[in-house]
Amino acid sequence: MSDIERYLFDVNGFIVVRDVLNTEMLERLNAVLDQQGLDDLDEQARDTKLNWLPDLGGPFLDLIDHPRILPYLVEFVDERVRLDHSYGRHMVTGSPGLDLHGFPDDRPRNCAWYHVRNGCISAGLTVVSFALTDVSAGDGGFVCVPGSHKANFPSPFLDTPADRKQPWLTHVELRAGDAVIFTEALTHGALAWEGPGVRRALFYKYAPGQWAWLSHEWTSEELEPLTPRQRAIVGPPGVIYSHNLKEREPIDIGTAEASAGV
């Protein structure tokens, strides 16, 4: 990660990492989604179908510790970063957007904080959104209020529809294979989809090792296909693992244990 990327993440609350997924990986991911019959489902059924991406296996597990993305997570979130949850979105022409949400908050019930102390970024719940399809200017999709992750006053936009006519919103154009990394403290949402094709996006959400937003615990069957590094990343929250009283160790980003071709 460059100094420019660190600066832009701190200033805006998000960065775009280009060409994270190569052509082969995009084809693998989209091929699995093609088999889900998503076009024949309504919005709620599509969301339900994609509400836990690890169930889809294979390439969706490889994204847990993608070697291009993991260094950002260790830098922004925690050297003991853990995957909290992941889901997908399949939007067709006319699919509704998502109301604006997200705000910096220190209350204990919230893990979407954002702080910088002693030159180190500390972001709570942080999202990696992988684009599986192109997103052009007029299509819709992810929007945000840049810099709102450091706001000192309550956002007047929370729980309001995202509207492309709102001048304070920034729409992020993407190519298939790009990834957006953003903090949940950022006020963000999605515009209704107006593109000619579909929008496919995968969301992997990470938290510091001792924190959790969701309470899912991976079963032994779910853990079986994972690499050692992936198992460490999906482990239960805590400074100390309760089952063996072992301290959570920093994630090793020096080796790419994920499958080749990511």
Side-chain angles (χ1 to χ4, degrees), residues 33 36 46-57 60-61 64 82-89 202-205 213-219 222-223 226 234:
L33 295 178
Q36 307 305 310
R46 277 197 289 267
D47 289 347
T48 300
K49 192 87 170 180
L50 300 178
N51 69 357
W52 188 252
L53 293 179
D55 285 344
L56 298 177
F60 295 87
L61 300 179
I64 291 172
R82 59 176 295 275
L83 176 69
D84 190 84
H85 60 289
S86 64
Y87 58 87
R89 287 287 181 264
L202 308 178
F203 297 85
Y204 285 68
K205 301 197 174 188
W213 181 258
L214 292 186
S215 58
H216 178 82
E217 290 191 22
W218 290 57
T219 66
E222 290 175 315
L223 292 172
L226 302 186
V234 305

Side-chain angles (χ1 to χ4, degrees), residues 25-38:
M25 189 60 167
L26 284 170
E27 290 177 349
R28 293 174 62 202
L29 291 162
N30 278 307
V32 175
L33 295 178
D34 288 342
Q35 299 170 2
Q36 307 305 310
L38 299 171

Side-chain angles (χ1 to χ4, degrees), residues 125-177:
L125 195 62
T126 296
V127 185
V128 182
S129 175
F130 297 97
L132 302 192
T133 54
D134 293 342
V135 179
S136 299
D139 292 343
F142 178 78
V143 291
C144 66
V145 181
S148 56
H149 62 306
K150 297 194 289 186
N152 293 301
F153 300 95
S155 172
F157 310 127
L158 293 182
D159 301 322
T160 63
D163 186 335
R164 63 180 67 254
K165 296 180 181 179
Q166 295 167 328
W168 46 81
L169 290 182
T170 292
H171 176 264
V172 179
E173 297 184 61
L174 301 167
R175 299 185 300 267

Side-chain angles (χ1 to χ4, degrees), residues 62-144:
D62 293 339
L63 296 184
I64 291 172
D65 61 340
H66 193 288
R68 281 281 306 280
I69 296 298
L70 192 54
Y72 296 93
L73 299 174
V74 169
E75 175 82 13
F76 296 154
V77 184
D78 187 14
E79 64 178 353
R80 295 167 174 81
V81 65
R82 59 176 295 275
L83 176 69
D84 190 84
H85 60 289
S86 64
Y87 58 87
R89 287 287 181 264
H90 178 99
M91 301 177 73
V92 300
T93 302
S95 288
L98 182 64
D99 286 355
L100 297 174
H101 59 286
F103 60 99
D105 190 1
D106 289 324
R107 288 176 291 179
R109 68 174 179 82
N110 189 14
C111 63
W113 67 79
Y114 184 89
H115 305 295
V116 179
R117 292 193 177 97
N118 300 320
C120 296
I121 291 174
S122 175
L125 195 62
T126 296
V127 185
V128 182
S129 175
F130 297 97
L132 302 192
T133 54
D134 293 342
V135 179
S136 299
D139 292 343
F142 178 78
V143 291
C144 66

